[in-house]
Amino acid sequence: MRCDQTLAWQALQVHADKFKGFDLRSAFADDPDRAADLSQSAPHVFADLSKNHTDRATEALLLELAQQTGLTQHRDAMFRGEPINNTEGRAVMHWLLRQPSSSASDPAALQTVQADPPTVRADSPTVRADSPTVRAELVEALAQVHTTLDAMLAYAEQIRADAQITDVVNIGIGGSDLGPQMAVLALQDLVAPGKRFHFVSNVDGHELAAVLKDLRAKNTLFLIASKTFTTLETMTNAHSALAWFKAQGGIDVARHFAALTTNVAAAAGFGITTTFGFWDWVGGRYSMWSAIGLPVAIAIGAAGFRQLLAGAHAMDQHFQSAPLAQNLPVRLGLLDVWYRNFLGYTSRSIAPYHSALRRVPAYLQQLEMESNGKRVDRNGNALPYGTAPVLWGEPGTNGQHAYFQMLHQGTDVVPLEFIAVKKPTHRLKDHHELLLANAIAQAQALMLGQQDPGGHKHFTGNRPSTFLLLDELTPASLGVLIALQEHRVFVSGAVWGINSFDQWGVELGKVLARDIRARIVSGDARGLDASTAALLARVRA
Ligand code: F6P
């Protein structure tokens, strides 16, 4: 049932009305158990949700909403490999990429541990959830996953041992860039000595040119990362990289270029013979666990990459089996729905208090906004309620000296999500205590505020935040953190009834860019609107 037609939705609307006078300070004063009740541990991560505009009654109603919108059935359909990406007719199985190989010999392990009866959904009527054929297909898919993973990790180790390769250049964009780039940065302390990593994504030639100027062909490995192997930016950069390589006297393309793609034929057509494949059931923004993760595997080694997968798998298991009231991605995803649809908070800010996590906000932008930035339901019907919030952020403490002013004293309430790490990997005195103190103090200041009625120093306080705390930043804890965010996006998307796994909204601009490019060359402005025609004339002048 569509979420806004459920009884829980109506009850939440009434509850939200009553909630207008909610004050975090009084909530804590009235309820000594609030911090404990609205906090929880999940594998590798502690989450304090208690400084949010929520209470037990809100959570209970949100759980009813989850139940009335079929969240667990949708989740289980994903984990059974049903084609829940209905507009592309595809299964959604990035979780299979982190499933241990041992489950291949135990087909039952591939089934969700939930006992909910399978439901036949309007958007996935073709696959019987309990069909033995489906199980056999999953077992076969898992075997392929591990064959590819083993080959890719062996290759990663070979490159790590190859002293002649000093520079690895990943050419890809969107999901073929943000995930590996974020993870290589996050795990920089584990990166093999003697190897430098570069990420080129933009069609803007300044980016590739700036990287190439410091490279030598014989020391460089180019990874051409593209699920489709058709993306304009990536293909343009790949062609330029190949031309540069040949112009530098490079000969051995097989040794210096590898492709990471589902389109093995297109990679071969390009002239690349070293290819690691993946499958159409891996969405671009969910692909860092696949061959797209090769730069990460080269950076941190095969064992590290397996730990990353293991961390994500631990979160998959938590998502599948923890009771909903203690299921962290479920709680976060439902909180997102509460904020977006009932309290009217239209954005969420991310503050990683760890500089190695500095690309996490960019990564999460694609994850949330490309997945849930949809205005229609799975059947294409327009929705009367809001979906994806705007995500944005920078590492702390930098953000504190830039836009936190608005978070504390602006006219809009923006929930803030802190991501902090208990143990540092450096030994510099004082820094880490200061960093953590700032993170905790900011959450406190947002909530407590400060009295200066009528004055510029008045902080209303009562500003919501979530605090995620990792013990340390390791491949496993990073895997947990990212899988947590993936599943949280799944939860809100499922409640909203949208397909979180397509991205038709990026297509129109691609088509128009081809047309405008031809017009930049020809100067033909016929049929264009006046503004576009004037811009065309200016760039040609
Ligand atoms: O244009 C959007 C998009 O399709 C993303 O979803 C994807 O991650 C990115 O482009 C790159 O696509 P590809 O990996 O096929 O080059």
Side-chain angles (χ1 to χ4, degrees):
M1 185 184 286
R2 206 176 75 184
C3 59
D4 63 331
Q5 290 165 359
T6 61
L7 287 174
W9 188 274
Q10 286 167 27
L12 280 159
Q13 279 174 328
V14 174
H15 184 66
D17 234 31
K18 281 192 272 175
F19 223 80
K20 281 190 181 129
F22 178 84
D23 187 279
L24 278 167
R25 291 152 293 203
S26 327
F28 277 100
D30 295 347
D31 179 0
D33 296 329
R34 180 178 171 89
D37 282 2
L38 294 178
S39 297
Q40 83 162 90
S41 294
H44 290 276
V45 59
F46 170 79
D48 179 1
L49 308 180
S50 66
K51 291 198 194 76
N52 279 294
H53 289 176
T54 179
D55 58 13
R56 286 187 198 77
T58 318
E59 285 214 331
L61 287 171
L62 287 167
L63 289 177
E64 278 179 33
L65 180 67
Q67 198 235 329
Q68 288 168 18
T69 50
L71 171 66
T72 53
Q73 288 90 333
H74 198 52
R75 174 196 64 189
D76 297 345
M78 172 173 78
F79 283 105
R80 283 191 298 258
E82 292 184 33
I84 63 166
N85 175 357
N86 62 307
T87 63
E88 297 181 307
R90 291 175 184 165
V92 172
M93 301 207 296
H94 46 277
W95 52 271
L96 195 72
L97 300 167
R98 47 234 194 180
Q99 186 109 21
S101 60
S102 53
S103 41
S105 54
D106 175 13
L110 282 167
Q111 286 288 324
T112 165
V113 294
Q114 294 295 305
D116 297 323
T119 48
V120 177
R121 304 176 57 84
D123 57 357
S124 54
T126 50
V127 180
R128 280 292 310 280
D130 53 355
S131 148
T133 326
V134 174
R135 282 204 299 276
E137 281 172 12
L138 285 184
V139 171
E140 168 56 25
L142 185 62
Q144 285 180 27
V145 163
H146 280 276
T147 305
T148 308
L149 177 65
D150 292 347
M152 164 187 146
L153 294 184
Y155 178 76
E157 287 298 335
Q158 180 195 318
I159 299 297
R160 281 162 69 81
D162 185 340
Q164 209 195 329
I165 300 294
T166 55
D167 291 86
V168 177
V169 182
N170 190 80
I171 293 181
I173 196 165
S176 301
D177 165 66
L178 290 165
Q181 187 186 159
M182 174 276 295
V184 168
L185 268 174
L187 302 171
Q188 62 196 348
D189 288 331
L190 305 177
V191 168
K195 299 272 188 259
R196 284 184 298 267
F197 291 82
H198 313 270
F199 289 84
V200 175
S201 53
N202 203 321
V203 74
D204 180 351
H206 296 104
E207 194 175 67
L208 179 62
V211 168
L212 291 179
K213 78 177 170 28
D214 296 327
L215 300 182
R216 289 198 298 180
K218 70 176 172 43
N219 302 124
T220 303
L221 171 65
F222 290 98
L223 303 176
I224 312 303
S226 176
K227 177 176 170 180
T228 56
F229 227 78
T230 57
T231 303
L232 169 109
E233 291 88 341
T234 304
M235 290 302 107
T236 307
N237 281 322
H239 281 291
S240 298
L242 186 60
W244 172 89
F245 177 76
K246 289 183 175 161
Q248 294 281 311
I251 297 160
D252 194 352
V253 173
R255 175 162 149 70
H256 292 274
F257 281 78
L260 322 173
T261 185
T262 59
N263 191 350
V264 176
F270 184 89
I272 297 182
T273 48
T274 311
T275 299
F276 298 95
F278 58 109
W279 304 270
D280 69 0
W281 41 260
V282 182
R285 54 195 171 275
Y286 299 88
S287 65
M288 60 175 269
W289 324 99
S290 71
I292 294 293
L294 181 57
V296 187
I298 297 173
I300 65 171
F305 196 79
R306 287 191 193 278
Q307 286 162 20
L308 180 81
L309 297 178
H313 178 62
M315 182 49 69
D316 293 339
Q317 289 182 306
H318 172 80
F319 181 44
Q320 279 185 278
S321 60
L324 296 195
Q326 287 302 312
N327 191 310
L328 191 52
V330 170
R331 289 176 94 180
L332 287 174
L334 292 176
L335 184 64
D336 295 339
V337 172
W338 169 241
Y339 278 169
R340 183 71 180 90
N341 302 117
F342 298 96
L343 300 191
Y345 306 156
T346 54
S347 91
R348 178 166 78 247
S349 189
I350 312 292
Y353 273 69
H354 195 307
S355 71
L357 296 176
R358 62 188 172 277
R359 290 298 283 167
V360 166
Y363 177 81
L364 294 182
Q365 278 177 338
Q366 186 192 18
L367 183 62
E368 174 79 56
M369 291 156 75
E370 202 173 69
S371 298
N372 286 346
K374 312 280 164 69
R375 52 168 289 283
V376 294
D377 69 10
R378 287 182 211 122
N379 299 318
N381 303 312
L383 295 172
Y385 46 82
T387 57
V390 176
L391 246 66
W392 55 286
E394 284 287 329
T397 59
N398 297 7
Q400 291 175 210
H401 299 273
Y403 55 79
F404 270 42
Q405 162 66 37
M406 182 264 202
L407 300 180
H408 286 287
Q409 289 189 313
T411 49
D412 292 299
V413 174
V414 179
L416 181 58
E417 192 154 302
F418 294 89
I419 306 173
V421 180
K422 220 160 107 182
K423 285 194 207 144
T425 49
H426 63 77
R427 295 187 177 186
L428 298 174
K429 197 167 165 296
D430 296 339
H431 288 258
H432 207 65
E433 287 84 354
L434 286 169
L435 181 70
L436 291 178
N438 269 279
I440 295 172
Q442 286 296 324
Q444 194 188 25
L446 285 164
M447 174 175 76
L448 294 181
Q450 173 177 278
Q451 287 305 311
D452 177 24
H456 290 287
K457 293 180 184 161
H458 185 67
F459 290 60
T460 56
N462 196 31
R463 304 258 162 154
S465 66
T466 296
F467 205 104
L468 301 179
L469 184 64
L470 306 176
D471 272 343
E472 28 184 350
L473 189 52
T474 61
S477 70
L478 183 70
V480 163
L481 179 69
I482 299 305
L484 168 65
Q485 300 287 347
E486 287 177 350
H487 294 324
R488 161 242 206 113
V489 166
F490 178 93
V491 168
S492 52
V495 170
W496 286 325
I498 59 187
N499 178 1
S500 301
F501 300 100
D502 60 11
Q503 54 284 317
W504 301 108
V506 299
E507 296 305 322
L508 176 61
K510 292 183 191 174
V511 173
L512 294 185
R514 276 197 289 276
D515 173 59
I516 297 288
R517 196 245 164 121
R519 290 174 185 270
I520 286 178
V521 175
S522 69
D524 180 3
R526 278 174 301 169
L528 291 180
D529 62 88
S531 162
T532 308
L535 286 172
L536 185 69
R538 271 190 186 270
V539 298
R540 281 179 48 84

Coordinates of all heavy atoms in Angstrom, one line a residue, residues 437-491:
A437 N 36.4 15.9 20.9 CA 35.8 16.9 21.7 C 34.9 17.9 20.9 O 33.8 18.2 21.3 CB 36.8 17.7 22.5
N438 N 35.4 18.3 19.8 CA 34.7 19.2 18.9 C 33.4 18.5 18.4 O 32.3 19.1 18.4 CB 35.5 19.7 17.8 CG 36.2 21.0 18.1 OD1 35.6 22.1 18.1 ND2 37.5 20.9 18.6
A439 N 33.5 17.3 18.0 CA 32.4 16.6 17.4 C 31.3 16.5 18.5 O 30.1 16.8 18.3 CB 32.8 15.2 17.0
I440 N 31.7 16.0 19.7 CA 30.7 15.8 20.8 C 30.1 17.2 21.2 O 28.9 17.4 21.4 CB 31.3 15.1 22.0 CG1 31.7 13.7 21.6 CG2 30.4 15.1 23.2 CD1 32.5 12.9 22.6
A441 N 31.0 18.2 21.3 CA 30.6 19.5 21.7 C 29.6 20.1 20.7 O 28.6 20.8 21.1 CB 31.8 20.5 21.9
Q442 N 29.8 19.9 19.4 CA 28.9 20.4 18.4 C 27.5 19.8 18.5 O 26.5 20.5 18.5 CB 29.5 20.2 17.0 CG 30.6 21.1 16.6 CD 30.2 22.6 16.6 OE1 29.1 22.9 16.2 NE2 31.1 23.4 17.0
A443 N 27.5 18.5 18.8 CA 26.2 17.8 18.9 C 25.5 18.4 20.2 O 24.3 18.7 20.2 CB 26.4 16.3 19.1
Q444 N 26.3 18.7 21.2 CA 25.7 19.2 22.4 C 25.2 20.6 22.2 O 24.1 21.0 22.6 CB 26.9 19.2 23.5 CG 26.5 19.4 24.9 CD 27.7 19.6 25.8 OE1 28.8 20.0 25.3 NE2 27.6 19.3 27.0
A445 N 26.1 21.4 21.6 CA 25.7 22.9 21.3 C 24.4 22.9 20.5 O 23.5 23.8 20.7 CB 26.8 23.6 20.6
L446 N 24.3 22.1 19.5 CA 23.1 22.1 18.6 C 21.9 21.8 19.5 O 20.8 22.5 19.3 CB 23.2 21.0 17.5 CG 24.2 21.4 16.4 CD1 24.5 20.1 15.6 CD2 23.6 22.4 15.4
M447 N 22.0 20.9 20.4 CA 20.9 20.5 21.2 C 20.6 21.6 22.3 O 19.5 22.0 22.5 CB 21.1 19.2 21.9 CG 20.0 18.8 22.8 SD 20.2 17.2 23.5 CE 21.5 17.4 24.7
L448 N 21.7 22.0 23.0 CA 21.4 22.8 24.2 C 21.1 24.3 23.9 O 20.4 24.9 24.6 CB 22.6 22.8 25.2 CG 22.9 21.4 25.8 CD1 24.1 21.5 26.7 CD2 21.7 20.9 26.6
G449 N 21.8 24.8 22.9 CA 21.7 26.2 22.5 C 22.2 27.1 23.6 O 23.0 26.6 24.5
Q450 N 21.9 28.4 23.6 CA 22.4 29.3 24.6 C 21.4 30.5 24.7 O 20.9 31.0 23.7 CB 23.8 29.8 24.1 CG 24.3 30.9 24.9 CD 25.7 31.3 24.4 OE1 26.7 30.6 24.7 NE2 25.8 32.3 23.6
Q451 N 21.2 30.9 25.9 CA 20.2 32.0 26.1 C 20.8 33.3 25.9 O 21.8 33.7 26.5 CB 19.6 31.9 27.5 CG 18.7 30.7 27.8 CD 17.5 30.7 26.8 OE1 16.9 31.7 26.6 NE2 17.3 29.6 26.1
D452 N 20.2 34.1 25.1 CA 20.5 35.6 25.0 C 19.3 36.2 24.3 O 19.4 36.6 23.1 CB 21.8 35.8 24.1 CG 22.1 37.2 23.9 OD1 21.7 38.1 24.8 OD2 22.8 37.6 22.9
P453 N 18.2 36.1 25.0 CA 16.9 36.5 24.3 C 17.0 37.8 23.5 O 17.5 38.8 24.1 CB 15.9 36.6 25.5 CG 16.6 35.8 26.6 CD 18.0 35.9 26.4
G454 N 16.6 37.7 22.3 CA 16.6 38.9 21.5 C 18.0 39.3 20.9 O 18.1 40.2 20.1
G455 N 19.1 38.6 21.4 CA 20.4 39.1 21.0 C 21.0 38.2 19.9 O 20.5 37.1 19.6
H456 N 22.1 38.6 19.4 CA 22.8 37.8 18.3 C 23.4 36.6 18.8 O 23.8 35.7 18.1 CB 23.8 38.7 17.6 CG 23.1 39.8 16.8 ND1 22.5 39.5 15.6 CD2 23.0 41.1 17.0 CE1 22.0 40.7 15.1 NE2 22.2 41.6 16.0
K457 N 23.6 36.5 20.2 CA 24.3 35.4 20.7 C 23.3 34.3 21.2 O 23.7 33.3 21.8 CB 25.2 35.8 21.9 CG 26.3 36.6 21.4 CD 27.2 37.1 22.5 CE 28.3 38.0 21.9 NZ 28.9 38.8 23.0
H458 N 22.0 34.5 20.8 CA 21.0 33.5 21.2 C 21.0 32.3 20.2 O 21.0 32.5 19.0 CB 19.6 34.2 21.1 CG 18.5 33.2 21.6 ND1 18.5 32.8 22.9 CD2 17.5 32.6 21.0 CE1 17.4 32.0 23.1 NE2 16.9 31.9 21.9
F459 N 21.1 31.1 20.8 CA 21.0 29.9 20.1 C 19.8 29.2 20.5 O 19.7 28.9 21.7 CB 22.2 28.9 20.4 CG 23.6 29.3 19.9 CD1 24.2 30.5 20.3 CD2 24.3 28.5 19.0 CE1 25.4 30.8 19.9 CE2 25.5 28.8 18.6 CZ 26.1 30.0 19.0
T460 N 18.8 28.9 19.6 CA 17.6 28.3 20.1 C 17.9 26.9 20.6 O 17.1 26.4 21.4 CB 16.6 28.2 18.9 OG1 17.2 27.5 17.9 CG2 16.1 29.5 18.5
G461 N 18.9 26.3 20.1 CA 19.1 24.9 20.5 C 18.0 24.0 19.9 O 17.4 24.4 19.0
N462 N 17.9 22.8 20.5 CA 16.8 21.8 20.0 C 17.1 21.5 18.6 O 16.1 21.2 17.8 CB 15.4 22.5 20.2 CG 14.4 21.4 20.1 OD1 14.6 20.2 20.5 ND2 13.2 21.8 19.6
R463 N 18.3 21.5 18.1 CA 18.6 21.1 16.7 C 19.1 19.7 16.7 O 20.0 19.3 17.5 CB 19.7 22.0 16.2 CG 19.4 23.5 16.3 CD 19.0 24.1 15.0 NE 18.2 25.3 15.1 CZ 18.2 26.3 14.2 NH1 18.8 26.1 13.0 NH2 17.5 27.4 14.3
P464 N 18.5 18.9 15.8 CA 18.7 17.4 15.9 C 20.1 17.0 15.3 O 20.6 17.5 14.3 CB 17.6 16.9 15.0 CG 17.3 18.0 14.1 CD 17.6 19.3 14.8
S465 N 20.6 15.9 15.8 CA 21.8 15.3 15.2 C 21.8 13.8 15.6 O 21.2 13.3 16.5 CB 23.1 15.9 15.7 OG 23.2 15.7 17.1
T466 N 22.5 13.1 14.7 CA 22.8 11.6 14.9 C 24.3 11.5 15.1 O 25.0 12.2 14.4 CB 22.3 10.8 13.7 OG1 20.9 11.0 13.6 CG2 22.6 9.3 13.8
F467 N 24.7 10.6 15.9 CA 26.2 10.5 16.1 C 26.5 9.0 15.9 O 26.1 8.1 16.6 CB 26.5 10.8 17.6 CG 27.9 11.3 17.7 CD1 28.2 12.6 17.9 CD2 29.0 10.4 17.7 CE1 29.6 13.1 18.0 CE2 30.3 10.8 17.9 CZ 30.6 12.2 18.0
L468 N 27.3 8.8 14.8 CA 27.8 7.4 14.5 C 29.3 7.3 14.9 O 30.1 8.2 14.6 CB 27.7 7.1 13.0 CG 26.3 7.2 12.4 CD1 26.4 6.9 10.9 CD2 25.3 6.2 13.0
L469 N 29.6 6.3 15.7 CA 30.9 6.2 16.2 C 31.5 4.8 15.8 O 30.9 3.8 16.2 CB 30.9 6.4 17.7 CG 32.3 6.4 18.5 CD1 33.1 7.6 18.0 CD2 32.1 6.4 20.0
L470 N 32.7 4.9 15.1 CA 33.4 3.6 14.8 C 34.5 3.5 15.8 O 35.1 4.5 16.2 CB 34.0 3.7 13.4 CG 33.0 4.0 12.3 CD1 33.8 4.1 10.9 CD2 32.0 2.9 12.1
D471 N 34.9 2.3 16.2 CA 36.0 2.1 17.1 C 37.3 2.6 16.4 O 38.1 3.3 16.9 CB 36.1 0.7 17.5 CG 35.3 0.4 18.8 OD1 34.9 1.4 19.4 OD2 35.0 -0.8 19.1
E472 N 37.5 2.0 15.2 CA 38.6 2.5 14.4 C 38.3 2.4 12.9 O 37.3 1.8 12.6 CB 39.9 1.6 14.7 CG 39.6 0.2 15.1 CD 40.9 -0.5 15.5 OE1 42.0 0.0 15.2 OE2 40.8 -1.6 16.0
L473 N 39.1 3.1 12.1 CA 38.8 3.1 10.7 C 39.6 2.0 10.1 O 40.8 2.1 9.9 CB 39.1 4.5 10.1 CG 38.7 4.7 8.7 CD1 37.2 4.4 8.5 CD2 39.0 6.1 8.3
T474 N 38.9 0.9 9.8 CA 39.5 -0.3 9.2 C 38.7 -0.7 7.9 O 37.6 -0.2 7.8 CB 39.5 -1.5 10.1 OG1 38.1 -1.8 10.4 CG2 40.2 -1.2 11.5
P475 N 39.3 -1.6 7.1 CA 38.5 -2.0 6.0 C 37.1 -2.5 6.4 O 36.1 -2.2 5.9 CB 39.3 -3.1 5.3 CG 40.7 -2.7 5.7 CD 40.7 -2.1 7.1
A476 N 37.1 -3.3 7.5 CA 35.8 -3.9 8.0 C 34.9 -2.8 8.5 O 33.7 -2.9 8.1 CB 36.1 -4.9 9.1
S477 N 35.4 -1.9 9.2 CA 34.4 -0.8 9.8 C 33.9 0.1 8.6 O 32.8 0.5 8.6 CB 35.0 0.0 10.9 OG 36.0 0.8 10.5
L478 N 34.8 0.3 7.6 CA 34.3 1.1 6.5 C 33.3 0.3 5.7 O 32.2 0.9 5.3 CB 35.5 1.4 5.5 CG 35.1 2.3 4.4 CD1 34.8 3.7 4.8 CD2 36.3 2.3 3.3
G479 N 33.5 -1.0 5.6 CA 32.4 -1.8 4.9 C 31.1 -1.7 5.6 O 30.1 -1.6 5.0
V480 N 31.2 -1.8 6.9 CA 29.9 -1.7 7.8 C 29.3 -0.3 7.5 O 28.1 -0.2 7.3 CB 30.3 -1.8 9.3 CG1 29.2 -1.3 10.1 CG2 30.6 -3.3 9.6
L481 N 30.1 0.7 7.6 CA 29.5 2.1 7.5 C 28.8 2.3 6.1 O 27.7 2.9 6.1 CB 30.7 3.1 7.6 CG 30.3 4.6 7.5 CD1 29.4 5.0 8.7 CD2 31.5 5.5 7.4
I482 N 29.5 1.8 5.1 CA 28.9 2.1 3.7 C 27.6 1.2 3.5 O 26.6 1.6 3.0 CB 29.9 1.8 2.6 CG1 31.1 2.8 2.8 CG2 29.3 2.0 1.2 CD1 30.7 4.3 2.9
A483 N 27.7 -0.1 3.9 CA 26.5 -1.0 3.8 C 25.4 -0.4 4.6 O 24.2 -0.5 4.2 CB 26.9 -2.4 4.1
L484 N 25.7 0.1 5.8 CA 24.7 0.7 6.6 C 23.9 1.8 5.8 O 22.7 1.9 5.8 CB 25.3 1.3 7.9 CG 24.4 2.2 8.8 CD1 23.2 1.5 9.3 CD2 25.3 2.8 9.9
Q485 N 24.7 2.7 5.2 CA 24.1 3.8 4.4 C 23.3 3.2 3.2 O 22.2 3.7 2.9 CB 25.2 4.7 4.0 CG 26.0 5.4 5.1 CD 25.2 6.4 5.9 OE1 24.1 6.9 5.5 NE2 25.7 6.8 7.1
E486 N 23.8 2.2 2.6 CA 23.1 1.6 1.4 C 21.7 1.1 1.9 O 20.7 1.4 1.2 CB 23.8 0.4 0.9 CG 25.1 0.7 0.1 CD 25.8 -0.6 -0.4 OE1 25.4 -1.7 0.1 OE2 26.7 -0.4 -1.2
H487 N 21.7 0.4 3.0 CA 20.4 -0.2 3.5 C 19.5 0.9 4.0 O 18.3 0.7 3.9 CB 20.7 -1.3 4.5 CG 21.4 -2.5 3.9 ND1 21.2 -2.9 2.6 CD2 22.4 -3.3 4.4 CE1 22.0 -4.0 2.4 NE2 22.7 -4.2 3.4
R488 N 20.0 1.9 4.6 CA 19.2 3.0 5.1 C 18.4 3.7 3.9 O 17.3 4.0 4.0 CB 20.1 3.9 5.9 CG 19.6 5.2 6.1 CD 20.3 6.4 5.6 NE 20.1 7.5 6.4 CZ 20.9 8.1 7.2 NH1 22.2 7.7 7.2 NH2 20.6 9.0 8.0
V489 N 19.2 3.8 2.8 CA 18.6 4.4 1.6 C 17.5 3.5 1.1 O 16.4 3.9 0.6 CB 19.7 4.7 0.6 CG1 19.1 5.0 -0.8 CG2 20.5 5.9 1.1
F490 N 17.8 2.2 1.1 CA 16.8 1.2 0.7 C 15.5 1.3 1.5 O 14.4 1.3 1.0 CB 17.4 -0.2 0.9 CG 16.4 -1.4 0.5 CD1 16.5 -1.9 -0.7 CD2 15.5 -1.8 1.5 CE1 15.6 -2.9 -1.1 CE2 14.6 -2.8 1.1 CZ 14.7 -3.4 -0.2
V491 N 15.7 1.5 2.8 CA 14.5 1.5 3.7 C 13.6 2.7 3.4 O 12.4 2.5 3.2 CB 15.0 1.6 5.2 CG1 13.8 1.9 6.1 CG2 15.6 0.3 5.6

